[in-house]
Amino acid sequence: MRVVFIYPRFEKFLESTPELDRALIDHYIGHFTTPPSLGIPILAALTPPEWEVELVDDNNGDPVDFEIKADLVAISCFTPQATRALELADGYRAAGHKVVMGGFFPSTAPEVALEHCDAVNIGDGEPTWRTILEDARACELKRRYVGGTRFDLKDMPIPRRDIFYEKTGYDWNEDLVQVARGCSYTCGMCAIPTHQGHRVRLRPIEKIVEEIRQLRYDNVYLAEDILFFPGKKLAQWSKELFCALEPLGKKYFVSSTMALATDDALLDSLARAGVNSFYCTLNVDPKSIRALQGDAQVQAELVDLVDRLEGRGIRFFASFGLGRDWDTPALPDTILELCRKAKIRTAEFFIFTPYPGSVHWERLQKQGRILHKNWRHYNGAHVVSRPLGMTEDELYQCFLRIWREFYRPLENREVLETLEPVMTQDHMEERRRSIGLGHQS
Ligand code: B12
């Protein structure tokens, strides 16, 4: 038996923005081709040995052959991949294959997916995957499989990264690791609570460590914001996790918002563990929204946060959402001023996008403000819903202007030389030593 996994193509942020000069932005944000996210490698790890496994990574340019030998075609996608995913599902079915889809988009818009595939998986894949394979073998695929949001992560397998490690073409020298699922907050733009549940499920720390020890790259992307949640139990767990990561000698990329925990003790433990990038989404949480609305005290907190991170050798990587209901065409000026004050050196900017499964999506649907459902353009680089404080074109112009103007000073060579996108190893060691954090191997 043979299952062929498909990871459909999605447009990177600036690929669909020819108006921008790519060279400088590539230098700072980087142009990268990533391997698939973790859904497919997890399912591959759960696939019984009598099934042969193949990965077609359309995002990496693998040729798509609808006549491929397969007993089941399994497509994984999030919303920016959905248009392509549905096209591919149609193509495989037209060639006589059975197609099952799972991931963020099929879980949050199953009725759309089901118009193009034979079966859809909603929620976690671990509880359902082997049943799907058995049903496919017996030619008895059902329309819906509900994996739900309760799977215990102590039983999550180590994802099979060998299925893409052996491929060429990627230039993302980083391994993605999942440490938890679910979220107890309800941020307007995020589909995680719908797809993964409102209860945070933590993965046992020893399992995370076991997985990280097996990774190929020195850089590890820890995928969840819950590392910074302020509750006592979660904060204790994060502290223990960062302690456990310390001896592994890896470098970590973490993500958070300003509203979450950022006390000095936690930042020290990040630095000791080897965290070198702190990706912070702004204009989504109540704190950073206040900072962008001119609250001097919160602005000072941001300035302080950037300083405390960079002082520990951790790059602050800002990600600003544009186009909230209260935003006006003056937003780029406000952001640029805040970045200048806080000495933010690396930033990306995205158009606030309503994803199926999010509160924001439900609200805009009801208000008749969704402009179209060309999912390809739900990648943060297009206006897909009607803004309130400006026209659609004004919002798009804000997006172009902020990218251009944030990076404009960098055309100045002198500035360019002092603003490296990621700190060099030596620079980081020097920073760590200067604040007494010791050597990182
Ligand atoms: C890694 C990541 C990225 C990487 C992608 C790298 C890659 N390898 O492709 C990068 C950094 C490039 C990225 C970019 C973006 N991302 Co992103 N990303 C993630 C992140 C953090 C992890 C994804 C992951 O591996 N999850 C773990 C896997 C195991 O979960 P899963 O896919 O759901 O799989 C499970 C089930 O769904 C199921 N399953 C999955 N597939 C299948 C298939 C079948 C057949 C079956 C049966 C089951 C099944 O089984 C799995 C195990 O239970 C998620 C957040 C998260 N925590 O998931 C956001 C997330 C997917 N990203 C998101 C977004 C919005 C983006 C951006 C558009 C953001 C932006 N700033 O505007 C950009 C797009 C890039 C661009 N335009 O340039 C959203 C997606 C929203 C949505 N509803 O689609 C998420 C959910 C973040 C969020 N909180 O909203 N991202």
Side-chain angles (χ1 to χ4, degrees):
M1 303 296 285
R2 195 155 191 274
V3 54
V4 177
F5 289 107
I6 312 288
Y7 193 62
R9 219 186 94 71
F10 63 94
E11 274 178 20
K12 303 281 162 44
F13 251 166
L14 303 169
E15 264 172 55
S16 40
T17 322
E19 298 92 328
L20 291 171
D21 170 6
R22 290 290 304 274
L24 266 179
I25 293 158
D26 275 358
H27 180 75
Y28 280 89
I29 300 293
H31 174 71
F32 49 80
T33 302
T34 62
S37 59
L38 292 173
I40 290 174
I42 288 176
L43 300 183
L46 291 171
T47 304
E50 62 273 23
W51 283 80
E52 216 185 301
V53 167
E54 179 171 346
L55 165 64
V56 175
D57 187 349
D58 181 43
N59 203 43
N60 187 36
D62 290 356
V64 170
D65 173 9
F66 292 129
E67 306 299 329
I68 199 166
K69 181 174 171 293
D71 298 288
L72 182 65
V73 171
I75 303 181
S76 177
C77 67
F78 69 153
T79 306
Q81 293 171 297
T83 305
R84 176 70 173 155
L86 300 175
E87 274 167 23
L88 293 178
D90 288 343
Y92 283 108
R93 283 180 92 204
H97 292 298
K98 291 287 174 201
V99 177
V100 56
M101 293 181 76
F104 270 87
F105 182 81
S107 296
T108 52
E111 63 300 331
V112 179
L114 278 169
E115 285 170 24
H116 302 263
C117 64
D118 299 284
V120 82
N121 187 78
I122 300 168
D124 293 328
E126 290 89 343
T128 46
W129 179 237
R130 289 196 177 119
T131 310
I132 293 173
L133 290 176
E134 279 161 26
D135 289 356
R137 186 207 299 259
C139 298
E140 285 175 0
L141 266 186
K142 298 177 185 60
R143 291 288 275 164
R144 286 170 192 254
Y145 293 85
V146 181
T149 58
R150 291 176 175 274
F151 173 72
D152 188 336
L153 296 193
K154 77 174 172 20
D155 299 321
M156 180 185 141
I158 293 186
R160 263 194 64 191
R161 294 182 177 79
D162 58 292
I163 60 172
F164 58 78
Y165 273 168
E166 62 207 24
K167 284 183 188 281
T168 54
Y170 303 119
D171 48 13
W172 212 49
N173 298 333
E174 185 157 305
D175 283 301
L176 173 62
V177 171
Q178 186 165 50
V179 298
R181 282 187 202 160
C183 182
S184 44
Y185 291 98
T186 313
C187 302
M189 67 183 279
C190 184
I192 286 185
T194 305
H195 177 46
Q196 300 179 352
H198 280 277
R199 190 175 59 88
V200 174
R201 290 171 283 161
L202 300 172
R203 205 170 157 207
I205 290 176
E206 64 277 12
K207 296 268 179 166
I208 299 170
V209 169
E210 184 192 347
E211 180 172 331
I212 292 178
R213 282 189 199 284
Q214 299 179 17
L215 299 177
R216 168 175 289 185
Y217 298 110
D218 288 339
N219 299 309
V220 180
Y221 180 143
L222 299 179
E224 287 79 26
D225 293 5
I226 62 108
L227 293 168
F228 301 93
F229 279 14
K232 216 170 161 191
K233 186 180 154 222
L234 282 179
Q236 180 59 26
W237 182 84
S238 292
K239 212 170 117 205
E240 285 168 21
L241 175 66
F242 285 116
C243 274
L245 298 184
E246 231 179 278
L248 304 184
K250 299 270 186 182
K251 301 290 167 232
Y252 299 92
F253 183 105
V254 296
S255 61
S256 185
T257 73
M258 258 195 92
L260 298 178
T262 51
D263 57 89
D264 276 342
L266 179 64
L267 299 195
D268 283 345
S269 72
L270 296 190
R272 278 195 301 267
V275 173
N276 64 0
S277 274
F278 183 94
Y279 180 86
C280 186
T281 314
L282 296 114
N283 211 13
V284 294
D285 64 296
K287 259 198 174 173
S288 65
I289 290 169
R290 289 216 305 277
L292 284 165
Q293 288 178 340
D295 183 322
Q297 198 190 323
V298 189
Q299 289 192 351
E301 278 182 45
L302 178 64
V303 173
D304 179 58
L305 174 62
V306 177
D307 192 52
R308 288 186 297 122
L309 283 160
E310 302 253 343
R312 287 170 170 80
I314 301 171
R315 171 181 67 157
F316 185 88
F317 187 152
S319 176
F320 287 93
L322 316 176
R324 307 300 308 261
D325 283 355
W326 51 86
D327 289 342
T328 69
L331 183 63
D333 298 311
T334 317
I335 293 179
L336 288 166
E337 176 59 15
L338 192 59
C339 288
R340 197 192 51 73
K341 262 192 201 157
K343 299 198 183 72
I344 292 172
R345 304 172 305 145
T346 309
E348 67 178 17
F349 309 94
F350 66 92
I351 295 170
F352 198 75
T353 302
Y355 291 105
S358 69
V359 173
H360 191 48
W361 168 264
E362 295 300 331
R363 192 166 57 84
L364 294 192
Q365 284 262 82
K366 280 197 195 113
Q367 295 173 349
R369 289 168 58 194
I370 302 288
L371 294 172
H372 62 76
K373 293 179 184 168
N374 175 3
W375 309 112
R376 207 188 298 276
H377 284 180
Y378 279 60
N379 69 345
H382 296 273
V383 180
V384 301
S385 63
R386 192 163 297 121
L388 276 191
M390 50 189 137
T391 64
E392 290 144 39
D393 187 54
E394 279 171 332
L395 175 55
Y396 191 63
Q397 293 307 322
C398 277
F399 172 72
L400 296 179
R401 206 188 124 205
I402 188 77
W403 273 103
R404 286 191 185 122
E405 297 199 7
F406 182 81
Y407 285 99
R408 176 167 299 150
L410 309 180
E411 284 161 16
N412 174 331
R413 205 176 145 65
E414 206 180 307
V415 179
L416 203 70
E417 275 163 10
T418 55
L419 290 172
E420 276 306 302
V422 185
M423 282 186 206
T424 62
Q425 192 68 20
D426 288 349
H427 188 178
M428 237 161 61
E429 293 306 341
E430 189 192 304
R431 287 270 187 109
R432 281 179 205 284
R433 272 196 300 274
S434 73
I435 56 167
L437 281 170
H439 180 76
Q440 288 285 317
S441 56

